[in-house]
Amino acid sequence: MKALVVPQPIANDVMLGQQALLAFPYEPAADVAEFLMVSGDEPLPDEYTLGLALGYQLGVVTINRVSPSTDVPGFFEWEVAPKMLVAPKAMHLEPDTFTPVAETDYTPLEIETIGLFAWLAEPHAAFSPALQAHADALVAIGAQQMPAKYREILAQTGSWQEVDAAWEDAQFEHRNAHMLAHGIPELDFGHQHAELPKLNLKSQHDSE
């Protein structure tokens, strides 16, 4: 098996079957039909990733098809699908590099017990207890990795909605500051907190 870094939140979305395409400026080696997906140490900029574990093994992913990108010259689209979840384990790898891993380097979670595929077949259902416990373990890791500002909000309120709202406010202020720096008047359309997507390997307590 080989491991490959995929940044958050894309890595999370792939493991939940919410994203089936990855784009890389290279093709996988001919002998690589699947890989151990490791979340990147750094998330994609300006993407909501609070509570998502960074630098951790997430699961094994199958590569079903690779084709040249029709949108970005020089890139390839990998059609992928989750094969199994693995127990959370820190792993820090160089991006864009397939790294060999032994079977003893990761711990597969029993497919039927964890219930990932049952949930993928009915994604609006609640997580199974085992899948929820796995999600909560990852969220606990991701929560500790958040900037101090958001850790403090979560500690004081116990609410992910408060964390989400603070992040969105920060993004709104950042966009306005960027516009002002470029001579564009500040805009205010009655800013309200949007309903942020909750479909991720975060605790079901998100909705509290």
Side-chain angles (χ1 to χ4, degrees), residues 2 4 26-35 63 66 78 97-98:
K2 293 183 179 180
L4 184 67
Y26 50 84
E27 296 181 88
D31 62 341
V32 176
E34 60 185 29
F35 63 92
I63 304 173
V66 177
W78 302 13
T97 302
F98 277 110

Side-chain angles (χ1 to χ4, degrees), residues 4 25 35 57-59 61 67 98 113 130-131 134-136 153 155 164 183 207:
L4 184 67
F35 63 92
Q57 299 175 0
L58 296 183
V61 172
S67 59
F98 277 110
T113 300
L131 185 57
H134 176 68
D136 288 344
I153 292 172
D164 294 349
S207 59

Side-chain angles (χ1 to χ4, degrees), residues 141-165:
I141 294 167
Q144 289 300 314
Q145 296 175 326
M146 294 190 300
K149 167 185 174 179
Y150 300 110
R151 293 200 308 271
E152 183 176 349
I153 292 172
L154 184 61
Q156 291 179 348
T157 67
S159 170
W160 279 102
Q161 285 190 337
E162 293 294 331
V163 174
D164 294 349

Side-chain angles (χ1 to χ4, degrees), residues 37-51:
M37 188 165 65
V38 178
S39 60
D41 292 336
E42 297 292 334
L44 291 178
D46 299 325
E47 292 284 344
Y48 181 84
T49 58
L50 299 179

Side-chain angles (χ1 to χ4, degrees), residues 92-111:
H92 305 286
L93 304 176
E94 290 294 324
D96 299 321
T97 302
F98 277 110
T99 303
V101 291
E103 290 186 1
T104 54
D105 290 335
Y106 61 95
T107 305
L109 298 179
E110 206 282 317
I111 291 176

